[in-house]
Amino acid sequence: MSTKVLALTGGHSYDVEAFRGYLGELHGCEVTWAEQPDGNALIRSGEAASYDALLCYDMPGITVKLRNPIRTEAPDAALKQGWRRLLDAGTGVVFLHHALASWPEWPEFAEIMGGIFLYRAGTVRGERHPDSGYIEHVPEEFRVVRDHPVTRGLPERFRLAGDEPYLCPVFEDSVEVLVRRVGYEEAGAYLSSEHTVLTGEERPCAGASSLVSDAAAWVRRERNSRIVYLQPGDNGSSFKSPHFVHLTRNALAWVSAVRSCGSSAAAGEE
């Protein structure tokens, strides 16, 4: 029986054809692809809650345009309720890469994801934090640190030819980290996201959040749903990586197991 997956995109540029090919490699999944704001409409209406899993590669709630002010907005009450209804229904969610920057004006959403990427300095868990950092198009190595259904079948270490590591808050006290990044440990190696957006010029980060982490994949639970975040996914080369495709397949299978087995049956599973 196929896993019904709703894939969401929009709000951030991406390689459309590479993403299409990546979705085609998610064997065993019946994928419906919606671009924002259509995805939000499906969440508001409750239709999204009928899917086994969401694959979020979107970035709603924030508008980022080079050499323009960064604009943010909070979701309306109907959209918040739609998300809560979806999580109560046990629909699993896999967040990819820049989805971590979604809804910065809605703190509850960062808690759902297990962290947040800040395009500009902001308050996280009651404390001020600087804008988040990034390094664009660099080779990355990853280390699997926990045996889990999401990481099964992956080598202990694997590489991606060119992706984009983040320097941003991760709530390690409320997530289970499965994969960590190797290298890129110095905050000075990362570029300021806010400065790049506002000026079009690159400048090292002014500082690092006290919540920064080398976590690259983690899991958590929210209401009746399982949540996975995968930090890679910046460009087409990662979407063609067998390791990244395998990781995504595992993640979708794990988050959708609650719907397949029933929330009570799956509650005690890893």
Side-chain angles (χ1 to χ4, degrees):
M1 184 176 179
S2 296
T3 301
K4 290 179 58 181
V5 176
L6 176 61
L8 303 180
T9 54
H12 192 289
S13 60
Y14 66 102
D15 186 329
V16 176
E17 289 309 310
F19 188 73
R20 189 188 309 279
Y22 164 75
L23 295 182
E25 291 298 315
L26 301 179
H27 306 313
C29 295
E30 179 186 337
V31 181
T32 299
W33 183 0
E35 188 86 359
Q36 294 292 13
D38 293 344
N40 285 339
L42 293 172
I43 295 169
R44 280 192 194 91
S45 70
E47 186 175 343
S50 68
Y51 287 83
D52 300 313
L54 266 60
L55 181 64
C56 295
Y57 190 53
D58 56 342
M59 201 175 79
I62 180 168
T63 302
V64 176
K65 187 176 180 181
L66 200 61
R67 298 186 181 87
N68 279 272
I70 298 167
R71 301 199 308 273
T72 58
E73 61 178 333
D76 56 47
L79 187 54
K80 288 181 179 180
Q81 185 56 35
W83 266 104
R84 291 166 184 149
R85 181 168 52 234
L86 180 151
L87 297 169
D88 283 337
T91 297
V93 188
V94 178
F95 293 102
L96 299 179
H97 196 59
H98 53 246
L100 202 64
S102 302
W103 298 118
E105 299 292 335
W106 186 24
E108 182 182 342
F109 203 71
E111 296 294 338
I112 292 168
M113 293 186 292
I116 186 169
F117 184 95
L118 296 169
Y119 267 96
R120 62 186 178 196
T123 300
V124 179
R125 290 185 161 185
E127 296 182 3
R128 292 293 293 176
H129 292 266
D131 66 308
S132 297
Y134 70 98
I135 311 176
E136 196 170 23
H137 300 317
V138 291
E140 284 197 84
E141 182 177 354
F142 301 93
R143 176 171 57 95
V144 176
V145 296
R146 179 167 170 75
D147 181 35
H148 187 278
V150 172
T151 57
R152 299 266 165 85
L154 286 172
E156 183 178 346
R157 292 194 178 219
F158 63 95
R159 294 176 179 270
L160 294 178
D163 211 281
E164 185 181 49
Y166 285 164
L167 188 77
C168 66
V170 177
F171 307 151
E172 288 216 24
D173 62 345
S174 63
V175 305
E176 182 180 357
V177 179
L178 305 181
V179 179
R180 293 190 181 274
R181 185 177 63 246
V182 178
Y184 304 114
E185 298 169 354
E186 297 297 323
Y190 291 79
L191 301 175
S192 163
S193 53
E194 183 174 30
H195 187 79
T196 299
V197 171
L198 295 181
T199 69
E201 300 172 353
E202 296 181 347
R203 186 179 74 184
C205 287
S209 164
S210 60
L211 295 173
V212 297
S213 165
D214 61 0
W218 61 77
V219 298
R220 64 180 312 276
R221 297 170 192 250
E222 183 69 26
R223 297 180 183 239
N224 293 322
S225 294
R226 292 174 171 180
I227 309 295
V228 175
Y229 174 74
L230 306 178
Q231 198 274 308
D234 176 59
N235 57 65
S237 68
S238 292
F239 289 133
K240 296 173 185 176
S241 163
H243 295 313
F244 187 60
V245 171
H246 183 84
L247 187 60
T248 309
R249 285 181 191 148
N250 282 358
L252 289 169
W254 184 72
V255 301
S256 63
V258 174
R259 294 292 291 268
S260 301
C261 303
S263 57
S264 60
E269 295 179 1
E270 198 176 26

